[in-house]
Amino acid sequence: MRYEILCTECGRRAEEGEIRCVCGAPLTIRYDLGGGWKNDRRRSITRYSAVLPVKSLPPMHVGWTPITEVSDVLFKMEYLSAGGSFKDRGACVAAQKEKELGGREIVVDSSGNSAISFSLFAKVLGLKARVFVPAAAPQGKKDLLRFLGADVHEIKGTREEVNREAMRNEHYVGHWWNPYFIEGTKTIALEAFEQAKSIDCAIAPVGSGTLFLGLYKGFKELVELGELEQMPELIAVQASGYAFGEKGSEESKLADGIAIRDPPRKKEIIRAVRESNGSFVVVNDAEIAVALMELRDMGFIVEPTSATAYAAYKKAKPKGKTLIPLTGSGLKLLDELLAIAGSQKHRASQRKNLSPL
Ligand SMILES: [Zn+2]
């Protein structure tokens, strides 16, 4: 289907393969949805090929992740994807685009998951992957990157400093800026709508915003097509110490995947929250740890960053069917999960000792 690549600020029409507008703002892709489009019948991301900006997709299953419904919550199990997170959706589209444009190498920055997904699809497509990650990223994620044959550059400093370092290189296609990446993540909304039919609210962790903006874009396209009457309420979850405009709060150590203060798509995130009558919710490490253990008790082995969305659900108590994508696998950072489980057990026994009985 026909699409345009447009600047989110100056409205300039960009060329295929541009990652960032000449004015410095992020780009977005807009489809002409007037004629509608048909699903491919396959149960994977290829189902939505008509509204993905690539000629084909890598030969590895992505998407159509299961939903486990618990009360009114639709837990979409994104962590079961090949690379262990929802980032596979964006990376498979973005890496494929690079290949179609004649690229041989991709350069990305990441807290871990996005780099893992890019390295995985680089392998599948025969591209080289050069990845920039924080030196403090979980060891399990860094080990997996090396197993996938990526050229790993560990950078000491904030997540923003890692991004600046990566962007100095040619062939940078990182998810913070890449407009093709969000086209991949929007398929979560398209899929969840087909699987669940009715969604009143969706909650997503927000770091760079690629999941949140993907959900927004997918639901917006469904509204434009007349499939969906109105946009679900979108709740953006941020970790304490990293919320927009927040000062002085204790910085979350558990939510490493969203430890980002000033992402390039900040204005788009704020617009999406407003347009959906949604809200921002900030969660701290104590709330994340409790949510993580409750998710475990339901049978979900996810990483602490994923648990932020459930922690926010417990705080915001939205009405109706609520979609929570469980973003990343806990199997990449078992040491951290064991430490959290240990500290929660310790707290529970302390509470027991304090109780009058
Ligand atoms: Zn521009």
Side-chain angles (χ1 to χ4, degrees):
M1 187 170 287
R2 280 184 42 200
Y3 62 86
E4 293 177 309
I5 307 165
L6 300 168
C7 174
T8 56
E9 285 293 320
C10 73
R12 184 182 73 91
R13 222 176 131 168
E15 295 297 319
E16 197 78 89
E18 274 185 60
I19 293 297
R20 181 182 183 177
C21 183
V22 286
C23 80
L27 301 169
T28 188
I29 288 177
R30 190 180 298 156
Y31 280 92
D32 175 7
L33 296 167
W37 58 275
K38 272 213 168 72
N39 285 340
D40 177 309
R41 293 170 75 159
R42 285 169 287 186
R43 293 194 160 183
S44 74
I45 196 173
T46 49
R47 189 178 186 84
Y48 308 108
S49 295
V51 282
L52 292 176
V54 280
K55 294 190 186 100
S56 64
L57 284 155
M60 162 57 73
H61 177 99
V62 177
W64 208 261
T65 51
I67 286 179
T68 296
E69 195 167 344
V70 183
S71 300
D72 266 344
V73 183
L74 307 162
F75 289 108
K76 193 152 170 58
M77 298 160 81
E78 287 296 302
Y79 66 98
L80 297 181
S81 195
S85 83
F86 79 96
K87 294 257 168 53
D88 282 358
R89 293 180 188 264
C92 75
V93 175
Q96 175 70 33
K97 190 77 213 180
E98 201 51 25
K99 171 124 181 164
E100 288 179 6
L101 293 172
R104 293 201 180 142
E105 182 188 49
I106 50 175
V107 175
V108 301
D109 59 315
S110 165
S111 65
N113 280 332
S114 163
I116 289 166
S117 295
F118 267 111
S119 303
L120 186 133
F121 289 104
K123 269 272 164 275
V124 171
L125 293 169
L127 303 169
K128 267 194 192 157
R130 201 132 58 93
V131 307
F132 291 76
V133 296
Q139 192 59 41
K141 290 183 178 176
K142 291 190 284 193
D143 290 345
L144 191 48
L145 283 168
R146 294 199 169 93
F147 174 69
L148 286 168
D151 176 12
V152 183
H153 299 255
E154 294 190 33
I155 307 295
K156 285 200 180 105
T158 65
R159 186 61 187 79
E160 280 83 352
E161 282 161 335
V162 178
N163 175 251
R164 274 197 291 278
E165 197 59 43
M167 287 189 79
R168 290 206 183 106
N169 296 273
E170 256 190 276
H171 311 295
Y172 174 79
V173 293
H175 64 296
W176 280 23
W177 290 93
N178 194 319
Y180 302 102
F181 196 94
I182 289 178
E183 293 305 300
T185 57
K186 81 178 178 190
T187 60
I188 299 186
L190 303 179
E191 244 178 62
F193 170 70
E194 279 201 85
Q195 290 170 317
K197 293 299 169 205
S198 144
I199 296 168
D200 302 294
C201 174
I203 307 182
V206 169
S208 62
T210 51
L211 170 61
F212 188 76
L213 291 171
L215 286 168
Y216 167 75
K217 193 163 195 289
F219 287 128
K220 195 177 164 118
E221 289 185 4
L222 288 168
V223 172
E224 268 177 58
L225 285 163
E227 298 264 352
L228 196 60
E229 231 169 81
Q230 65 168 25
M231 173 81 72
E233 173 191 351
L234 298 180
I235 297 180
V237 189
Q238 295 184 295
S240 71
Y242 294 94
F244 299 156
E246 187 192 36
K247 279 194 187 108
S249 310
E250 197 180 331
E251 285 176 12
S252 166
K253 290 187 177 58
L254 295 183
D256 60 284
I258 52 170
I260 302 162
R261 260 185 208 94
D262 197 16
R265 295 186 185 273
K266 181 173 166 179
K267 281 187 191 165
E268 288 171 78
I269 295 164
I270 294 169
R271 277 200 294 266
V273 167
R274 261 193 221 134
E275 205 182 299
S276 72
N277 288 316
S279 55
F280 285 94
V281 174
V282 181
V283 294
N284 63 33
D285 278 356
E287 292 161 334
I288 297 168
V290 170
L292 181 81
M293 300 315 290
E294 287 184 22
L295 287 169
R296 178 203 66 178
D297 294 347
M298 287 183 249
F300 304 113
I301 305 168
V302 295
E303 61 175 288
T305 303
S306 309
T308 59
Y310 184 55
Y313 171 81
K314 293 181 13 149
K315 270 181 129 167
K317 300 187 179 74
K319 289 197 179 70
K321 294 272 182 207
T322 301
L323 174 70
I324 298 184
L326 291 175
T327 50
S329 172
L331 299 181
K332 294 173 190 170
L333 26 74
L334 274 179
D335 288 350
E336 283 85 342
L337 296 196
L338 278 171
I340 295 167
S343 71
Q344 290 302 105
K345 214 171 172 182
H346 179 65
R347 260 183 218 168
S349 70
Q350 274 185 327
R351 273 198 299 274
K352 219 175 182 180
N353 291 339
L354 288 172
S355 79
L357 288 174

